[in-house]
PDB file of all heavy atoms in Angstrom:
ATOM      1  N   GLY A  43      26.317  18.061  12.376  1.00 82.00           N
ATOM      2  CA  GLY A  43      26.578  19.430  12.847  1.00 82.00           C
ATOM      3  C   GLY A  43      25.674  19.818  13.999  1.00 82.00           C
ATOM      4  O   GLY A  43      24.988  20.835  13.928  1.00 82.00           O
ATOM      5  N   CYS A 106      10.700  29.631  13.135  1.00 97.00           N
ATOM      6  CA  CYS A 106      11.169  28.374  13.738  1.00 97.00           C
ATOM      7  C   CYS A 106      12.499  27.983  13.097  1.00 97.00           C
ATOM      8  O   CYS A 106      12.547  27.199  12.148  1.00 97.00           O
ATOM      9  CB  CYS A 106      10.150  27.268  13.509  1.00 97.00           C
ATOM     10  SG  CYS A 106       8.796  27.410  14.644  1.00 97.00           S
ATOM     11  N   GLY A 107      13.554  28.551  13.614  1.00 97.00           N
ATOM     12  CA  GLY A 107      14.885  28.270  13.086  1.00 97.00           C
ATOM     13  C   GLY A 107      15.083  28.916  11.721  1.00 97.00           C
ATOM     14  O   GLY A 107      14.165  29.532  11.142  1.00 97.00           O
ATOM     15  N   ALA A 108      16.323  28.759  11.209  1.00 97.00           N
ATOM     16  CA  ALA A 108      16.614  29.249   9.861  1.00 97.00           C
ATOM     17  C   ALA A 108      15.803  28.433   8.849  1.00 97.00           C
ATOM     18  O   ALA A 108      15.359  28.957   7.817  1.00 97.00           O
ATOM     19  CB  ALA A 108      18.106  29.125   9.580  1.00 97.00           C
ATOM     20  N   ALA A 109      15.581  27.166   9.165  1.00 97.00           N
ATOM     21  CA  ALA A 109      14.817  26.300   8.264  1.00 97.00           C
ATOM     22  C   ALA A 109      13.385  26.820   8.101  1.00 97.00           C
ATOM     23  O   ALA A 109      12.870  26.916   6.979  1.00 97.00           O
ATOM     24  CB  ALA A 109      14.794  24.882   8.811  1.00 97.00           C
ATOM     25  N   GLY A 110      12.756  27.181   9.221  1.00 97.00           N
ATOM     26  CA  GLY A 110      11.398  27.725   9.154  1.00 97.00           C
ATOM     27  C   GLY A 110      11.389  29.048   8.404  1.00 97.00           C
ATOM     28  O   GLY A 110      10.461  29.350   7.639  1.00 97.00           O
ATOM     29  N   MET A 112      13.378  30.009   5.977  1.00 98.00           N
ATOM     30  CA  MET A 112      13.517  29.852   4.532  1.00 98.00           C
ATOM     31  C   MET A 112      12.219  29.329   3.915  1.00 98.00           C
ATOM     32  O   MET A 112      11.808  29.756   2.838  1.00 98.00           O
ATOM     33  CB  MET A 112      14.690  28.935   4.220  1.00 98.00           C
ATOM     34  CG  MET A 112      15.444  29.441   3.018  1.00 98.00           C
ATOM     35  SD  MET A 112      16.977  28.612   2.699  1.00 98.00           S
ATOM     36  CE  MET A 112      18.083  29.372   3.828  1.00 98.00           C
ATOM     37  N   PHE A 133      24.245  23.499   1.925  1.00 94.00           N
ATOM     38  CA  PHE A 133      23.494  22.799   2.977  1.00 94.00           C
ATOM     39  C   PHE A 133      22.343  22.062   2.299  1.00 94.00           C
ATOM     40  O   PHE A 133      21.495  22.678   1.646  1.00 94.00           O
ATOM     41  CB  PHE A 133      22.982  23.827   3.983  1.00 94.00           C
ATOM     42  CG  PHE A 133      22.083  23.279   5.047  1.00 94.00           C
ATOM     43  CD1 PHE A 133      22.491  22.246   5.872  1.00 94.00           C
ATOM     44  CD2 PHE A 133      20.828  23.822   5.262  1.00 94.00           C
ATOM     45  CE1 PHE A 133      21.664  21.745   6.870  1.00 94.00           C
ATOM     46  CE2 PHE A 133      19.985  23.343   6.255  1.00 94.00           C
ATOM     47  CZ  PHE A 133      20.415  22.293   7.054  1.00 94.00           C
ATOM     48  N   GLU A 135      19.557  20.765   2.769  1.00 93.00           N
ATOM     49  CA  GLU A 135      18.101  20.934   2.879  1.00 93.00           C
ATOM     50  C   GLU A 135      17.549  22.082   2.032  1.00 93.00           C
ATOM     51  O   GLU A 135      16.336  22.171   1.838  1.00 93.00           O
ATOM     52  CB  GLU A 135      17.717  21.105   4.347  1.00 93.00           C
ATOM     53  CG  GLU A 135      18.136  19.872   5.128  1.00 93.00           C
ATOM     54  CD  GLU A 135      17.338  19.602   6.382  1.00 93.00           C
ATOM     55  OE1 GLU A 135      16.644  20.515   6.846  1.00 93.00           O
ATOM     56  OE2 GLU A 135      17.415  18.461   6.870  1.00 93.00           O
ATOM     57  N   TYR A 136      18.427  22.941   1.503  1.00 96.00           N
ATOM     58  CA  TYR A 136      17.918  24.045   0.678  1.00 96.00           C
ATOM     59  C   TYR A 136      17.010  23.527  -0.454  1.00 96.00           C
ATOM     60  O   TYR A 136      15.989  24.125  -0.763  1.00 96.00           O
ATOM     61  CB  TYR A 136      19.061  24.822   0.023  1.00 96.00           C
ATOM     62  CG  TYR A 136      19.958  25.613   0.947  1.00 96.00           C
ATOM     63  CD1 TYR A 136      21.278  25.882   0.572  1.00 96.00           C
ATOM     64  CD2 TYR A 136      19.509  26.102   2.168  1.00 96.00           C
ATOM     65  CE1 TYR A 136      22.121  26.622   1.386  1.00 96.00           C
ATOM     66  CE2 TYR A 136      20.353  26.834   2.994  1.00 96.00           C
ATOM     67  CZ  TYR A 136      21.655  27.094   2.602  1.00 96.00           C
ATOM     68  OH  TYR A 136      22.490  27.816   3.404  1.00 96.00           O
ATOM     69  N   TYR A 139      13.586  22.688   0.741  1.00 96.00           N
ATOM     70  CA  TYR A 139      12.791  23.879   1.069  1.00 96.00           C
ATOM     71  C   TYR A 139      12.247  24.509  -0.224  1.00 96.00           C
ATOM     72  O   TYR A 139      11.095  24.944  -0.284  1.00 96.00           O
ATOM     73  CB  TYR A 139      13.622  24.942   1.809  1.00 96.00           C
ATOM     74  CG  TYR A 139      14.315  24.487   3.070  1.00 96.00           C
ATOM     75  CD1 TYR A 139      15.436  25.164   3.540  1.00 96.00           C
ATOM     76  CD2 TYR A 139      13.863  23.394   3.804  1.00 96.00           C
ATOM     77  CE1 TYR A 139      16.100  24.769   4.703  1.00 96.00           C
ATOM     78  CE2 TYR A 139      14.519  22.984   4.962  1.00 96.00           C
ATOM     79  CZ  TYR A 139      15.637  23.676   5.395  1.00 96.00           C
ATOM     80  OH  TYR A 139      16.297  23.286   6.533  1.00 96.00           O
ATOM     81  N   ASN A 178      25.725  31.271   1.879  1.00 98.00           N
ATOM     82  CA  ASN A 178      25.847  30.836   3.277  1.00 98.00           C
ATOM     83  C   ASN A 178      27.309  31.036   3.702  1.00 98.00           C
ATOM     84  O   ASN A 178      28.192  30.365   3.207  1.00 98.00           O
ATOM     85  CB  ASN A 178      25.426  29.354   3.349  1.00 98.00           C
ATOM     86  CG  ASN A 178      25.811  28.690   4.653  1.00 98.00           C
ATOM     87  OD1 ASN A 178      26.297  27.567   4.669  1.00 98.00           O
ATOM     88  ND2 ASN A 178      25.605  29.354   5.756  1.00 98.00           N
ATOM     89  N   PRO A 180      29.674  32.179   7.320  1.00 97.00           N
ATOM     90  CA  PRO A 180      30.551  31.038   7.114  1.00 97.00           C
ATOM     91  C   PRO A 180      29.765  29.819   6.619  1.00 97.00           C
ATOM     92  O   PRO A 180      28.622  29.632   7.001  1.00 97.00           O
ATOM     93  CB  PRO A 180      31.144  30.785   8.507  1.00 97.00           C
ATOM     94  CG  PRO A 180      31.036  32.095   9.218  1.00 97.00           C
ATOM     95  CD  PRO A 180      29.805  32.722   8.698  1.00 97.00           C
ATOM     96  N   ASN A 181      30.471  29.034   5.802  1.00 97.00           N
ATOM     97  CA  ASN A 181      29.761  28.045   5.000  1.00 97.00           C
ATOM     98  C   ASN A 181      29.781  26.629   5.589  1.00 97.00           C
ATOM     99  O   ASN A 181      30.805  26.151   6.059  1.00 97.00           O
ATOM    100  CB  ASN A 181      30.393  28.021   3.600  1.00 97.00           C
ATOM    101  CG  ASN A 181      29.647  27.141   2.632  1.00 97.00           C
ATOM    102  OD1 ASN A 181      29.889  25.947   2.544  1.00 97.00           O
ATOM    103  ND2 ASN A 181      28.712  27.721   1.906  1.00 97.00           N
ATOM    104  N   ASN A 182      28.617  26.027   5.543  1.00 96.00           N
ATOM    105  CA  ASN A 182      28.473  24.597   5.762  1.00 96.00           C
ATOM    106  C   ASN A 182      28.269  23.982   4.382  1.00 96.00           C
ATOM    107  O   ASN A 182      27.292  24.329   3.729  1.00 96.00           O
ATOM    108  CB  ASN A 182      27.240  24.321   6.637  1.00 96.00           C
ATOM    109  CG  ASN A 182      26.909  22.851   6.765  1.00 96.00           C
ATOM    110  OD1 ASN A 182      27.679  22.003   6.363  1.00 96.00           O
ATOM    111  ND2 ASN A 182      25.748  22.560   7.333  1.00 96.00           N
ATOM    112  N   ASP A 216      22.212  33.206   4.441  1.00 98.00           N
ATOM    113  CA  ASP A 216      21.896  32.255   5.520  1.00 98.00           C
ATOM    114  C   ASP A 216      23.092  32.248   6.480  1.00 98.00           C
ATOM    115  O   ASP A 216      24.181  31.818   6.109  1.00 98.00           O
ATOM    116  CB  ASP A 216      21.687  30.875   4.876  1.00 98.00           C
ATOM    117  CG  ASP A 216      21.365  29.805   5.898  1.00 98.00           C
ATOM    118  OD1 ASP A 216      20.763  30.129   6.939  1.00 98.00           O
ATOM    119  OD2 ASP A 216      21.729  28.630   5.661  1.00 98.00           O
ATOM    120  N   GLU A 217      22.878  32.748   7.700  1.00 97.00           N
ATOM    121  CA  GLU A 217      24.036  33.070   8.543  1.00 97.00           C
ATOM    122  C   GLU A 217      24.049  32.438   9.938  1.00 97.00           C
ATOM    123  O   GLU A 217      24.466  33.079  10.897  1.00 97.00           O
ATOM    124  CB  GLU A 217      24.123  34.593   8.712  1.00 97.00           C
ATOM    125  CG  GLU A 217      24.185  35.360   7.432  1.00 97.00           C
ATOM    126  CD  GLU A 217      24.499  36.845   7.635  1.00 97.00           C
ATOM    127  OE1 GLU A 217      24.555  37.301   8.791  1.00 97.00           O
ATOM    128  OE2 GLU A 217      24.678  37.523   6.613  1.00 97.00           O
ATOM    129  N   PRO A 218      23.640  31.194  10.108  1.00 96.00           N
ATOM    130  CA  PRO A 218      23.658  30.664  11.477  1.00 96.00           C
ATOM    131  C   PRO A 218      25.056  30.523  12.071  1.00 96.00           C
ATOM    132  O   PRO A 218      25.191  30.354  13.277  1.00 96.00           O
ATOM    133  CB  PRO A 218      22.978  29.293  11.361  1.00 96.00           C
ATOM    134  CG  PRO A 218      22.918  28.976   9.928  1.00 96.00           C
ATOM    135  CD  PRO A 218      23.050  30.234   9.155  1.00 96.00           C
ATOM    136  N   TYR A 219      26.096  30.602  11.210  1.00 95.00           N
ATOM    137  CA  TYR A 219      27.467  30.453  11.732  1.00 95.00           C
ATOM    138  C   TYR A 219      28.201  31.791  11.800  1.00 95.00           C
ATOM    139  O   TYR A 219      29.423  31.807  11.934  1.00 95.00           O
ATOM    140  CB  TYR A 219      28.266  29.480  10.849  1.00 95.00           C
ATOM    141  CG  TYR A 219      27.634  28.118  10.755  1.00 95.00           C
ATOM    142  CD1 TYR A 219      26.826  27.767   9.671  1.00 95.00           C
ATOM    143  CD2 TYR A 219      27.810  27.177  11.769  1.00 95.00           C
ATOM    144  CE1 TYR A 219      26.223  26.527   9.591  1.00 95.00           C
ATOM    145  CE2 TYR A 219      27.211  25.931  11.693  1.00 95.00           C
ATOM    146  CZ  TYR A 219      26.419  25.610  10.611  1.00 95.00           C
ATOM    147  OH  TYR A 219      25.827  24.371  10.545  1.00 95.00           O
ATOM    148  N   SER A 243      18.641  33.572   9.851  1.00 97.00           N
ATOM    149  CA  SER A 243      19.590  33.004  10.815  1.00 97.00           C
ATOM    150  C   SER A 243      18.835  32.391  11.994  1.00 97.00           C
ATOM    151  O   SER A 243      17.604  32.349  12.000  1.00 97.00           O
ATOM    152  CB  SER A 243      20.569  34.076  11.285  1.00 97.00           C
ATOM    153  OG  SER A 243      21.624  33.483  11.990  1.00 97.00           O
ATOM    154  N   SER A 244      19.621  31.931  12.970  1.00 95.00           N
ATOM    155  CA  SER A 244      18.992  31.305  14.141  1.00 95.00           C
ATOM    156  C   SER A 244      19.987  31.263  15.283  1.00 95.00           C
ATOM    157  O   SER A 244      21.150  31.639  15.124  1.00 95.00           O
ATOM    158  CB  SER A 244      18.542  29.888  13.803  1.00 95.00           C
ATOM    159  OG  SER A 244      19.670  29.032  13.770  1.00 95.00           O
ATOM    160  N   PHE A 245      19.512  30.793  16.420  1.00 93.00           N
ATOM    161  CA  PHE A 245      20.372  30.644  17.597  1.00 93.00           C
ATOM    162  C   PHE A 245      20.687  29.167  17.831  1.00 93.00           C
ATOM    163  O   PHE A 245      21.069  28.766  18.918  1.00 93.00           O
ATOM    164  CB  PHE A 245      19.684  31.298  18.804  1.00 93.00           C
ATOM    165  CG  PHE A 245      19.430  32.761  18.533  1.00 93.00           C
ATOM    166  CD1 PHE A 245      18.222  33.191  17.987  1.00 93.00           C
ATOM    167  CD2 PHE A 245      20.424  33.687  18.734  1.00 93.00           C
ATOM    168  CE1 PHE A 245      18.014  34.524  17.670  1.00 93.00           C
ATOM    169  CE2 PHE A 245      20.233  35.031  18.418  1.00 93.00           C
ATOM    170  CZ  PHE A 245      19.025  35.444  17.891  1.00 93.00           C
ATOM    171  N   SER A 246      20.527  28.369  16.770  1.00 91.00           N
ATOM    172  CA  SER A 246      20.777  26.930  16.881  1.00 91.00           C
ATOM    173  C   SER A 246      22.239  26.640  17.177  1.00 91.00           C
ATOM    174  O   SER A 246      22.554  25.713  17.907  1.00 91.00           O
ATOM    175  CB  SER A 246      20.407  26.230  15.572  1.00 91.00           C
ATOM    176  OG  SER A 246      19.022  26.276  15.365  1.00 91.00           O
ATOM    177  N   LYS A 247      23.121  27.423  16.576  1.00 91.00           N
ATOM    178  CA  LYS A 247      24.548  27.099  16.661  1.00 91.00           C
ATOM    179  C   LYS A 247      25.250  27.961  17.718  1.00 91.00           C
ATOM    180  O   LYS A 247      26.020  27.451  18.504  1.00 91.00           O
ATOM    181  CB  LYS A 247      25.221  27.304  15.294  1.00 91.00           C
ATOM    182  CG  LYS A 247      24.457  26.691  14.120  1.00 91.00           C
ATOM    183  CD  LYS A 247      24.479  25.182  14.086  1.00 91.00           C
ATOM    184  CE  LYS A 247      23.589  24.639  12.976  1.00 91.00           C
ATOM    185  NZ  LYS A 247      23.613  23.193  12.850  1.00 91.00           N
ATOM    186  N   ALA A 252      19.602  24.344  19.108  1.00 90.00           N
ATOM    187  CA  ALA A 252      18.911  23.951  17.870  1.00 90.00           C
ATOM    188  C   ALA A 252      17.520  23.386  18.130  1.00 90.00           C
ATOM    189  O   ALA A 252      16.587  23.587  17.347  1.00 90.00           O
ATOM    190  CB  ALA A 252      19.764  22.944  17.107  1.00 90.00           C
ATOM    191  N   ARG A 255      14.384  25.880  18.277  1.00 94.00           N
ATOM    192  CA  ARG A 255      13.875  26.404  17.008  1.00 94.00           C
ATOM    193  C   ARG A 255      13.644  27.930  17.033  1.00 94.00           C
ATOM    194  O   ARG A 255      12.583  28.404  16.624  1.00 94.00           O
ATOM    195  CB  ARG A 255      12.565  25.695  16.594  1.00 94.00           C
ATOM    196  CG  ARG A 255      12.563  24.205  16.713  1.00 94.00           C
ATOM    197  CD  ARG A 255      13.661  23.512  15.922  1.00 94.00           C
ATOM    198  NE  ARG A 255      13.668  23.860  14.526  1.00 94.00           N
ATOM    199  CZ  ARG A 255      14.804  24.202  13.886  1.00 94.00           C
ATOM    200  NH1 ARG A 255      15.972  24.259  14.494  1.00 94.00           N
ATOM    201  NH2 ARG A 255      14.751  24.505  12.613  1.00 94.00           N
ATOM    202  N   VAL A 256      14.632  28.666  17.524  1.00 95.00           N
ATOM    203  CA  VAL A 256      14.490  30.128  17.514  1.00 95.00           C
ATOM    204  C   VAL A 256      15.331  30.690  16.372  1.00 95.00           C
ATOM    205  O   VAL A 256      16.560  30.599  16.379  1.00 95.00           O
ATOM    206  CB  VAL A 256      14.937  30.762  18.852  1.00 95.00           C
ATOM    207  CG1 VAL A 256      14.620  32.263  18.838  1.00 95.00           C
ATOM    208  CG2 VAL A 256      14.235  30.085  20.016  1.00 95.00           C
ATOM    209  N   GLY A 257      14.654  31.270  15.394  1.00 97.00           N
ATOM    210  CA  GLY A 257      15.339  31.848  14.243  1.00 97.00           C
ATOM    211  C   GLY A 257      14.638  33.118  13.814  1.00 97.00           C
ATOM    212  O   GLY A 257      13.680  33.567  14.453  1.00 97.00           O
ATOM    213  N   TYR A 334      33.277  22.957  10.221  1.00 97.00           N
ATOM    214  CA  TYR A 334      33.422  21.869   9.242  1.00 97.00           C
ATOM    215  C   TYR A 334      34.756  21.957   8.497  1.00 97.00           C
ATOM    216  O   TYR A 334      35.214  23.058   8.173  1.00 97.00           O
ATOM    217  CB  TYR A 334      32.310  21.960   8.195  1.00 97.00           C
ATOM    218  CG  TYR A 334      30.922  22.017   8.793  1.00 97.00           C
ATOM    219  CD1 TYR A 334      30.261  23.230   8.931  1.00 97.00           C
ATOM    220  CD2 TYR A 334      30.289  20.866   9.237  1.00 97.00           C
ATOM    221  CE1 TYR A 334      28.993  23.296   9.496  1.00 97.00           C
ATOM    222  CE2 TYR A 334      29.021  20.919   9.809  1.00 97.00           C
ATOM    223  CZ  TYR A 334      28.377  22.135   9.933  1.00 97.00           C
ATOM    224  OH  TYR A 334      27.126  22.200  10.498  1.00 97.00           O
ATOM    225  N   ARG A 371      33.044  15.699   4.218  1.00 97.00           N
ATOM    226  CA  ARG A 371      32.867  16.684   5.288  1.00 97.00           C
ATOM    227  C   ARG A 371      33.122  16.064   6.655  1.00 97.00           C
ATOM    228  O   ARG A 371      32.641  14.964   6.943  1.00 97.00           O
ATOM    229  CB  ARG A 371      31.442  17.258   5.272  1.00 97.00           C
ATOM    230  CG  ARG A 371      31.316  18.452   6.218  1.00 97.00           C
ATOM    231  CD  ARG A 371      29.890  18.906   6.397  1.00 97.00           C
ATOM    232  NE  ARG A 371      29.163  18.054   7.333  1.00 97.00           N
ATOM    233  CZ  ARG A 371      27.969  18.338   7.845  1.00 97.00           C
ATOM    234  NH1 ARG A 371      27.352  19.462   7.488  1.00 97.00           N
ATOM    235  NH2 ARG A 371      27.374  17.505   8.689  1.00 97.00           N
TER     236      ARG A 371
HETATM  237  N1  PLP B 401      21.519  26.674   7.289  1.00 62.92           N
HETATM  238  C1  PLP B 401      22.668  25.999   7.488  1.00 62.92           C
HETATM  239  C2  PLP B 401      23.838  26.358   6.650  1.00 62.92           C
HETATM  240  C3  PLP B 401      22.750  24.967   8.443  1.00 62.92           C
HETATM  241  O1  PLP B 401      23.912  24.316   8.609  1.00 62.92           O
HETATM  242  C4  PLP B 401      21.599  24.648   9.191  1.00 62.92           C
HETATM  243  C5  PLP B 401      21.634  23.546  10.168  1.00 62.92           C
HETATM  244  O2  PLP B 401      22.556  22.780  10.287  1.00 62.92           O
HETATM  245  C6  PLP B 401      20.433  25.394   8.958  1.00 62.92           C
HETATM  246  C7  PLP B 401      20.422  26.387   8.010  1.00 62.92           C
HETATM  247  C8  PLP B 401      19.161  25.120   9.718  1.00 62.92           C
HETATM  248  O3  PLP B 401      19.308  25.575  11.016  1.00 62.92           O
HETATM  249  P1  PLP B 401      18.097  25.805  12.012  1.00 62.92           P
HETATM  250  O4  PLP B 401      18.317  24.892  13.160  1.00 62.92           O
HETATM  251  O5  PLP B 401      18.226  27.224  12.425  1.00 62.92           O
HETATM  252  O6  PLP B 401      16.839  25.571  11.286  1.00 62.92           O
END
Side-chain angles (χ1 to χ4, degrees):
C106 281
M112 219 171 280
F133 174 56
E135 300 206 344
Y136 292 154
Y139 305 157
N178 166 224
N181 186 273
N182 172 10
D216 180 30
E217 304 189 354
Y219 302 97
S243 192
S244 76
F245 301 92
S246 292
K247 313 289 174 177
R255 314 303 305 133
V256 186
Y334 307 99
R371 190 189 79 169

